[in-house]
Each structure stands twice: as C-alpha cells, then as structure tokens.
C-alpha cells in the first residue's frame, strides 16, 4: 500500500488542470482518496412517477410526448423561459425551463422525453430542472456540495471515472477482525453503493458502513496522535499548605464543583502520568479561578505554566485578571501576543528560558519556534475547540510532557464527550458562583419595540452599561440584517448624553483592546459590537445585552453572548430581537427565554442542529464528520470506540500486518491533523 496511487494529488487525474485542482481544493479535495470519499449529501430519485400520485411541490420525473414546439421568452435582462406542452398519461401538462435556452434545439414535437422538476398542481405545470436520459430513469442520482467553480455534473463524472479507474487500488482500512463480525462492507462495495446506489435501501446500508468507518478512523487518528498520552509526564510536587493559604485569601468561597475540579487537577498534576483533562462549565461559572489555582500549585513547586487563548483581547483580559489575583504573591506573569513589541518580546523569551517567568499568557504566539521554557509543567488551553490538534501539540512539546488542562464553555453530554475526545478526563463545574442572579431573558419581534428603549434608559439611569450585538459590520445588499454601523449611528443620536462605542472584528487589535478597556472603565456606556465579544469579555457593570437578528444565531452562540452580562451580583437582562420564519429558529429563542442552563441548552442545540454543526467546521480545526452524526449515531460511535480500544490494546504502535492498511492510512493522511479535532 506504500505506493498506492489513491494517496496521489488530484492533479494526476485525467483532464484535471490547474483551475479544476483549485476548485477541488476549495471543497477540501486534495488527494484522489478525498475525491472517492467525497460523499453525496442527498439523492434525486429519477424513477418515473405516476402523475395521479403527485401533490403540489413534489420533485418528480415525468415522461411523456412533446406536443408543442418550445417557445423561448426573455425577461429581465439575461433571464428567459422555455415553455412547451407534454402529454403525460393522456394528460396535457405545461413544462417550463428557466434560463436554459440551449434546450430549445433538443426538444422536438413527437419526441418521447423524461423531465425532472417540481410539480405545480394549481396550473398542471412541471418546472423543469433537467432532461433525464431515459436509460437512467429508475436510478438514484447523487447530489454533492459544490461551488461556483465546479459544476454538479462535472464533479459527478469525475467521481465516477475516478472510482472506475481506482477501485482496484482500494483496500479495507478497517482490520478484518473488526469488519467481518460487524458485517461491514468492503471498501470498494461501500464506495460504489454510496456514490451509485440502485435504491435508497442500498444507499442506507452502505451509509452504515461509512458511518462506522468514519468514527473508527477519527478515533484511531486521535489515539495515534496521542499515543504518548500514558507516558510519564512532569510530576508537580506542589506545596499543599501554601495552596490552602492562598485559597483562604480569595474574596469569595469556591463552589462545591470548583473545589472538586481543583482537587482533580491537583491529584493529576502530582501523578507521574501526564494529565489530559477537560474542564467544562457554563459561561461565568468560574473556570478561570480553577485554572489559576492549578497555576499557583505549579508555581509552589517552582514550575512554569502557559495559558493559551484564541484572541488577543481575551489574552489581555486574562493577563489583567490574573495579575490582580496574584498581586500579593511572588508569581512573575507575562503577556505574549503578536502585538508584543520586539524588545519586550525578546526580554520575555529570555526570562521564560531561564525560568524567571512563572506564567505566560498568550495567543498562537506561544507556539512559535523561538519560545522556550525552562520547566513547563502545566499547559492550559482556553476555549480549546478553537485550536487544532497540531496547535495544541506544538505547545505541549515545549516541555517534557507537561500536564494539559483544556477549558470550554460549550458543554456537551459527558458520555458523548468521553467518546469524542477519547481518553481525556472531564471535570464539570455545575453551579454558578454564589450571589449571582439568573439573567432574565425577553424576546421581542420588532427592532422598534418600545421595550428596548425602556430597558436601555433604565440601565443607564442606574449607572449600568449596555451591550448591543448585531451579526454584520456594515450594510449588505445580499442580507437584510441589522448592522453594527447603522445601529451605532442610531444609538449615538438616541442617547447623546452617554458615550457610545463601536467594536468589530475588522479593527486592529490595538483599537479593539482600547475600546474594551474604555468600556470596562465605564468611559463608554453603550458598546455596539459584532460577535467579537462572544468569548471571555468580562465587564461587571454591564447588565443589559441586546441581540439584534437573534434568530440568525445558534443556541450556543446566543448563550455565550448572553453570558457577557450577569458577571456580578447585579440583576442583568438579555433582550432577543428577531422575527424568525422557521420553526427551529423560533424554538431556539423560546429555549433562551426559558433556560439559563448551558448544559440544557447544549443538549437542545445538539438535537436542533446536529453534532457536526455544534462541534464546528474544518476551517477552525474542529470536528466535522461527513456522514456520521455523533448524536444520532451514538451506537455506531460506541462500537467504533470499542473497536479502536481493541486494536490499540493489542497493537499500540500498529506494527502487526493485520493493521498495516490502517497504519498506512494514518501516515498518508497525517497532514489532515488540523481538521479532525
């Protein structure tokens, strides 16, 4: 398999030139194997339908005889329609094709023709999308996700030709000892029946094999990448008495969940095995203080910690908060981002290397090659789902197997988390800090609802602050949504007595940081923003969150945004503004009004959107399964987990001949690491 051509780049395929390579790359198709595993997301049934059984709106193939010549009409610039009549089962119907004038010469009176389109019962019309080769009627036609750069028919033909030419090179990646007892299809059979099924039943059976294989390969790759997990790590012999005394100085009492999480982390870092733990908790539940106590414990053992976050704004905030928290201790703390001046950066790097700095906080700047530590023992990754596998590993290799603590405010069900993330241990913070009041959430349909102005006036009168969030930065001709610049202008005019600020992702890091600093210092009272404030921003005087076009956001994102208020003992409010037209969006807003529990909302988000969307997309380095759904296909996921355990328990390095194909596959696809986690 080492010379298997299915791992060659798509440029080796016939008639695939530079432009088509670029188009395929845009779909995530870089190698021949990617093309073979680029599955259809649905099928069109090309079976001829009985016209009597159709209802309005049905997609159908109707076959009949052309009884009038096609008439081409033009309207609105380049737009046109082609109309003729068709005799179907002795019923004369109207057929119309839009913007396909080239079909006129292919449609002749008396010709027998099959057309796929949408049935309109009211006027006995078929709005055609294509003419079907009569030899293909009765088949299922695969429909793939495409872009403007590559047409559906072109991609379909390329996949078919590639399968024909390369099926002899396909090998079974799942070992026989796993595949045969589970009655899984061979690789060639599975791909054939997914791309070219005879009927839906055949496609569904093939999908079951594909789902298992996808989960199996994902979990195998995760195990392979983390095969050194159980190796000896940095043993942190922290000073328990110093840690207890520090906890006593905190101006608040830890919740029971926080105490439990601290104990679990301290137990792990003192163990000779490297810690790999996920700390999950709702927005505002106090995950950072738990991490801070782990950092302090490491410092008592004279060992270093690193905290990596996804944005410079969040890094600066963590730096300020932890500087304040550790102000009466001897801990040396540094902030390292791409915005750090060269001279300052050089000084930080020197002090890290010599062990003077106990804690460094930063973004991706921490994983640059010239960043060296003396004795890194604890790596904390905030909003861990924002980082890919290679990025997380790049920080881990800065030390001799340091302990890893990942944090997330996007909770998922424990059993699903264990299955998805492999052998990672999980700590969960269930309660909110004492003294916090639940955020009251209201939903209004119109942006002109007087409730919005009353809420803003009330909070300003009480010397509080207001967040206003919108999906867009500037006006868009394509999408009719409220935008940040428009709302900013409106709020400046409506509330001239206070400072109104505008924040969005297109601003430079320095400008963003200054705006947030001014807001935290109450120099500005209203902050108009895009979702750049979704994660981490913590302003205790902010008590009102207004979210325009709330129906355009996902449930988890709405909850993250709402979590920017309610950060103190003050009563806080969230006003959702949106008039959704579909049931799922309505359900999301209803759930937001009913519940403040992030775990409850996460469960519902999984049900409403599917796990693939909740976990994220390939662009951000997150889980994005092609055919499997970890929620709907939990049984297959658990079977795959057991199978992976079986394989790696008996052959940790995949050296046995029976696992040769799997081993080769993982090696050949190692450059996909960033897209699988």
């Amino acid at each position: 398999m080492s010379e298997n051509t299915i791992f060659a780049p798509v440029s080796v395929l016939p008639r695939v030139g530079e432009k088509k390579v670029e188009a395929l790359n845009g779909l995530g198709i870089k190698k021949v194997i990617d093309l073979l595993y680029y599955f259809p997301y649905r099928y069109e049934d090309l079976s001829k339908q009985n016209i009597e059984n159709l209802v309005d709106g049905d997609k159908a193939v109707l076959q009949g005889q052309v009884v009038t010549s096609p008439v081409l009409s033009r309207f609105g610039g380049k737009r046109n329609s082609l109309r003729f009549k068709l005799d179907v089962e002795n019923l004369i119907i109207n057929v119309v094709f839009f913007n396909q004038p080239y079909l006129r010469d292919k449609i002749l009176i008396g010709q027998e023709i099959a057309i796929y389109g949408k049935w309109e019962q009211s006027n006995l019309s078929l709005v055609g999308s294509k003419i079907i080769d009569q030899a293909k009627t009765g088949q299922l036609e695969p429909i793939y996700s495409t872009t403007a750069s590559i047409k559906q028919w072109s991609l379909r033909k390329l996949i078919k030709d590639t399968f024909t030419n390369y099926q002899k090179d396909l090998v079974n990646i799942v070992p026989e000892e796993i595949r045969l007892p589970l009655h899984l299809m061979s690789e060639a059979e599975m791909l054939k029946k997914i791309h070219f099924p005879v009927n839906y039943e055949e496609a569904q059976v093939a999908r079951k094999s594909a789902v298992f294989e996808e989960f199996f390969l994902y979990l195998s790759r995760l195990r392979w990448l983390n095969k050194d997990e159980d190796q000896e790590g940095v043993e942190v012999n922290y000073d328990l008495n110093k840690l207890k005394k520090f906890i006593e100085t905190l101006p608040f009492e830890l919740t029971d969940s926080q105490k439990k999480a601290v104990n679990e982390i301290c137990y792990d870092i003192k163990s000779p095995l490297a810690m790999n733990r996920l700390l999950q908790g709702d927005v505002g539940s106090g995950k950072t203080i738990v991490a801070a106590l782990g950092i302090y414990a490491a410092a008592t053992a004279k060992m270093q910690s690193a905290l990596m976050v996804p944005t410079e704004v969040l890094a600066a905030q963590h730096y300020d908060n932890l500087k304040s928290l550790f102000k009466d201790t001897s801990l040396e703390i540094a902030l390292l981002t791409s915005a750090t001046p060269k001279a300052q950066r050089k000084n930080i790097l020197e002090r890290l290397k010599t062990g003077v700095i106990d804690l460094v906080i930063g973004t991706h700047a921490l994983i640059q090659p010239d960043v060296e530590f003396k004795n890194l023992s604890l790596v904390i990754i905030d909003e861990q789902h924002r980082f890919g596998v290679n990025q997380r590993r790049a920080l881990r290799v800065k030390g001799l197997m340091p302990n890893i603590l990942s944090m997330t405010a996007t909770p998922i069900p424990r059993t699903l988390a264990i299955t998805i993330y492999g052998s990672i241990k999980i700590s969960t913070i269930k309660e909110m800090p004492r003294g916090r009041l639940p955020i009251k959430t209201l939903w209004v349909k119109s942006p002109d609802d007087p409730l919005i102005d009353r809420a803003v006036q009330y909070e300003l009168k009480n010397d509080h602050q207001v967040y206003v969030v919108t999906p867009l930065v500037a006006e868009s001709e394509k999408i009719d949504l409220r935008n940040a610049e428009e709302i900013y202008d409106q709020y400046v005019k409506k509330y001239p007595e206070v400072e109104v600020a505008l924040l969005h992702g297109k601003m430079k890091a320095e400008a963003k940081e200054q705006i947030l600093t001014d807001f935290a210092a109450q120099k500005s009272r209203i902050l108009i923003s895009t979702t750049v404030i979704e994660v981490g921003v913590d302003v205790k005087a902010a008590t009102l969150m207004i979210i325009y076009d709330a129906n355009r956001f996902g449930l988890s994102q709405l909850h993250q945004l709402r979590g920017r208020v309610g950060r103190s003992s003050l009563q806080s409010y969230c006003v959702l503004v949106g008039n959704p037209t579909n049931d799922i969006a309505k359900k999301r807003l209803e759930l937001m009004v009913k519940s403040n529990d992030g775990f409850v909302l996460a469960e519902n988000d999984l049900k409403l959107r599917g796990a693939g969307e909740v976990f994220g997309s390939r662009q951000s380095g997150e889980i994005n399964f092609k055919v499997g759904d970890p929620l709907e296909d939990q049984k297959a996921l658990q079977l795959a987990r057991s199978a992976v355990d079986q394989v790696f328990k008996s052959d940790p390095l995949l050296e046995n001949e029976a696992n040769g194909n799997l081993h080769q596959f993982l090696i050949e696809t190692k450059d996909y690491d960033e897209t699988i986690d």
Side-chain angles (χ1 to χ4, degrees):
M1 192 171 169
S2 58
E3 298 181 0
N4 198 325
T5 51
I6 63 172
F7 294 110
V10 287
S11 56
V12 304
L13 297 172
R15 296 179 298 282
V16 175
E18 193 174 320
K19 285 188 177 180
K20 187 162 279 190
V21 167
E22 188 177 339
L24 291 170
N25 287 175
L27 294 173
I29 301 171
K30 297 180 179 180
K31 300 182 179 182
V32 174
I33 192 169
D34 298 333
L35 187 63
L36 293 172
Y37 285 81
Y38 193 76
F39 295 145
Y41 68 91
R42 68 178 177 88
Y43 302 91
E44 286 183 349
D45 187 352
L46 303 187
S47 301
K48 290 180 286 185
Q49 278 88 7
N50 187 324
I51 202 166
E52 294 179 358
N53 297 331
L54 296 182
V55 297
D56 189 57
D58 276 355
K59 294 286 185 71
V61 174
L62 294 180
Q63 186 170 329
Q65 189 176 53
V66 179
V67 294
T68 63
S69 295
V71 176
L72 182 65
S73 303
R74 299 187 182 279
F75 58 93
K78 294 183 178 181
R79 293 185 294 171
N80 57 76
S81 64
L82 189 67
R83 300 175 184 270
F84 59 96
K85 294 186 183 296
L86 193 69
D87 182 344
V88 180
E89 302 167 18
N90 296 319
L91 177 67
I92 305 299
I93 68 167
N94 302 298
V95 178
V96 57
F97 282 95
F98 289 106
N99 303 317
Q100 298 185 62
Y102 54 86
L103 293 178
R104 180 168 58 174
D105 297 334
K106 298 181 180 181
I107 299 168
L108 307 172
I109 292 180
Q111 178 186 16
E112 189 76 15
I113 195 171
I115 300 170
Y116 179 82
K118 183 178 180 181
W119 177 246
E120 294 184 350
Q121 183 68 40
S122 59
N123 52 10
L124 297 179
S125 294
L126 184 68
V127 180
S129 60
K130 58 188 169 186
I131 296 173
I132 304 297
D133 181 347
Q134 291 183 52
K136 291 185 177 180
T137 57
Q139 296 180 7
L140 291 183
E141 189 165 71
I143 303 298
Y144 302 91
S145 293
T146 58
T147 63
S149 303
I150 187 166
K151 302 296 184 185
Q152 184 72 225
W153 65 267
S154 177
L155 181 60
R156 191 183 293 128
K157 184 177 189 306
L158 183 60
I159 289 173
K160 188 173 184 179
D161 290 346
T162 302
F163 178 78
T164 300
N165 295 330
Y166 283 84
Q167 60 180 314
K168 65 182 184 302
D169 295 324
L170 292 170
V171 295
N172 298 318
I173 301 169
V174 178
E176 297 289 291
E177 63 174 357
I178 303 297
R179 188 174 65 84
L180 296 179
L182 292 175
H183 306 288
L184 300 174
M185 291 180 177
S186 68
E187 214 70 19
E189 184 184 14
M190 177 187 76
L191 291 177
K192 180 180 180 181
K193 290 182 177 178
I194 279 184
H195 289 297
F196 325 111
V198 172
N199 50 47
Y200 282 112
E201 291 74 21
E202 187 172 273
Q204 281 302 105
V205 173
R207 180 189 175 276
K208 288 181 180 178
S209 287
V211 167
F212 176 88
E213 180 173 293
E214 183 172 38
F215 289 153
F216 178 84
L217 291 177
Y218 166 76
L219 293 169
S220 292
R221 189 180 281 114
L222 197 62
R223 184 71 66 87
W224 176 253
L225 291 170
N226 297 310
K227 55 184 177 291
D228 52 3
E229 267 183 1
D230 295 330
Q231 289 184 3
E232 290 187 3
V234 178
E235 191 173 337
V236 181
N237 291 305
Y238 65 91
D239 189 319
L240 179 59
N241 289 326
K242 285 185 179 179
L243 179 60
K244 284 182 175 180
K245 286 180 181 178
F246 178 71
I247 292 173
E248 288 172 3
T249 67
L250 298 176
F252 50 81
E253 186 182 351
L254 298 176
T255 64
D256 291 341
S257 290
Q258 287 175 318
K259 290 175 183 175
K260 184 172 185 290
V262 171
N263 287 334
E264 289 169 338
I265 291 165
C266 287
Y267 178 84
D268 282 359
I269 64 175
K270 203 165 188 177
S271 163
L273 296 178
M275 177 178 74
N276 187 20
R277 183 171 288 276
L278 174 70
L279 176 62
Q280 62 173 2
D282 214 341
V283 283
S285 62
K287 295 182 295 295
T288 305
I289 187 61
V290 171
L293 293 173
I295 291 166
Y296 186 80
T300 66
K302 306 206 179 299
M303 291 188 170
Q304 295 172 297
S305 299
L307 170 58
M308 185 164 72
V309 300
T311 68
E312 292 188 1
V313 169
L314 187 52
Q317 180 178 287
H318 274 309
Y319 176 73
D320 291 338
N321 290 343
L322 291 172
K323 282 279 283 187
S324 175
L325 182 70
F326 294 131
K327 67 180 185 298
D328 295 326
T329 72
S330 60
L331 263 72
E332 285 284 332
I333 305 174
L335 174 65
L336 185 64
T337 70
S338 58
T340 303
K342 281 186 178 179
Q344 188 178 340
R345 185 176 189 277
K346 183 179 180 182
N347 179 262
I348 290 171
L349 295 184
E350 180 61 32
R351 290 190 297 143
L352 274 175
K353 190 173 181 179
T354 56
V356 175
I357 292 174
D358 300 292
L359 167 65
V360 62
I361 302 162
T363 55
H364 297 80
L366 295 182
I367 61 177
Q368 296 305 309
D370 59 347
V371 178
E372 298 179 45
F373 295 82
K374 181 180 180 181
N375 50 13
L376 180 62
S377 68
L378 179 60
V379 170
I380 300 166
I381 301 170
D382 196 11
E383 294 300 321
Q384 61 88 28
H385 61 283
R386 301 290 183 98
F387 298 98
V389 174
N390 282 344
Q391 293 167 331
R392 295 204 290 273
R393 191 187 302 111
L395 187 51
R396 186 169 200 169
V397 298
K398 297 289 185 180
L400 296 173
M401 290 304 294
N403 300 285
I404 301 287
L405 178 66
S406 303
M407 300 196 295
T408 181
T410 307
I412 59 175
R414 183 176 179 84
T415 53
L416 190 56
I418 291 170
T419 305
I420 291 293
Y421 292 117
S423 61
I424 194 169
K425 296 175 182 176
I426 299 174
S427 293
T428 302
I429 301 179
K430 296 178 180 177
E431 316 102 314
M432 296 299 283
R434 291 173 176 83
R436 294 278 179 92
L437 295 172
I439 300 166
K440 293 182 179 179
T441 303
L442 305 97
W443 168 25
V444 298
K445 294 185 178 180
S446 169
D448 300 317
D449 194 301
L451 172 70
I452 300 171
D453 179 56
R454 288 203 305 271
V456 173
Q457 294 284 11
Y458 178 82
E459 297 306 318
L460 293 178
K461 182 181 176 182
N462 286 281
D463 204 28
H464 299 160
Q465 292 171 276
V466 180
Y467 285 112
V468 181
V469 175
T470 178
L472 297 179
V473 175
E475 186 176 356
S476 167
E477 295 179 2
K478 295 182 179 179
I479 309 174
D480 182 23
L481 300 177
R482 305 276 288 180
N483 65 78
E485 291 177 344
E486 175 193 344
I487 291 176
Y488 172 74
D489 291 338
Q490 290 175 0
Y491 274 68
V492 167
K493 291 174 184 175
K494 188 176 276 191
Y495 307 104
E497 71 279 10
V498 298
E499 182 75 24
V500 181
L502 175 64
L503 177 70
H504 57 76
K506 292 185 178 180
M507 292 176 169
K508 290 184 177 179
E510 297 85 355
K512 288 186 208 171
E513 192 172 326
Q514 188 60 55
I515 290 166
L516 287 171
T517 300
D518 289 347
F519 189 64
Q522 289 194 287
K523 291 181 181 178
S524 55
R525 299 284 299 285
I526 300 175
L527 179 60
I528 315 296
S529 177
T530 56
T531 56
V532 69
I533 62 155
E534 177 188 352
V535 174
V537 182
D538 187 1
V539 179
K540 289 178 172 52
T543 53
L544 175 62
M545 166 67 70
I546 300 168
I547 306 175
Y548 286 102
D549 297 297
N551 48 296
R552 300 288 181 140
F553 294 99
L555 197 52
S556 292
Q557 192 174 33
L558 285 172
H559 185 57
Q560 288 281 336
L561 289 168
R562 178 171 61 182
R564 295 310 102 218
V565 296
R567 314 292 288 191
S568 68
S569 59
L570 298 171
Q571 178 63 63
S572 293
Y573 303 87
C574 177
V575 179
L576 306 172
V577 186
N579 191 14
T581 56
N582 66 74
D583 292 339
I584 290 179
K586 287 177 184 175
K587 184 69 174 174
R588 282 201 296 261
L589 299 187
E590 289 168 356
L591 285 164
M592 284 290 294
V593 172
K594 289 178 182 177
S595 179
N596 273 290
D597 190 324
F599 289 87
V600 170
L601 295 175
E603 290 269 11
N604 280 281
D605 211 14
L606 280 168
K607 292 174 184 174
L608 289 173
R609 295 199 293 154
E613 289 185 57
V614 172
F615 289 133
S617 63
R618 285 182 181 273
Q619 284 71 22
S620 57
E622 301 168 29
I623 302 167
N624 187 24
F625 295 112
K626 295 178 182 177
V627 287
D629 183 320
L631 188 69
E632 297 297 325
D633 301 312
Q634 281 197 55
K635 185 177 179 181
L637 187 56
Q638 289 164 2
L639 281 172
R641 172 85 189 274
S642 297
V644 169
D645 287 344
Q646 178 184 331
V647 169
F648 280 84
K649 187 176 181 180
S650 61
D651 186 15
L653 300 179
L654 301 181
E655 295 172 320
N656 297 343
E657 186 178 350
N659 298 320
N661 291 339
L662 173 61
H663 183 250
Q664 183 68 23
F665 179 85
L666 295 177
I667 290 174
E668 293 284 359
T669 58
K670 64 181 182 297
D671 55 319
Y672 294 88
D673 289 356
E674 279 303 311
T675 69
I676 64 165
D677 189 0

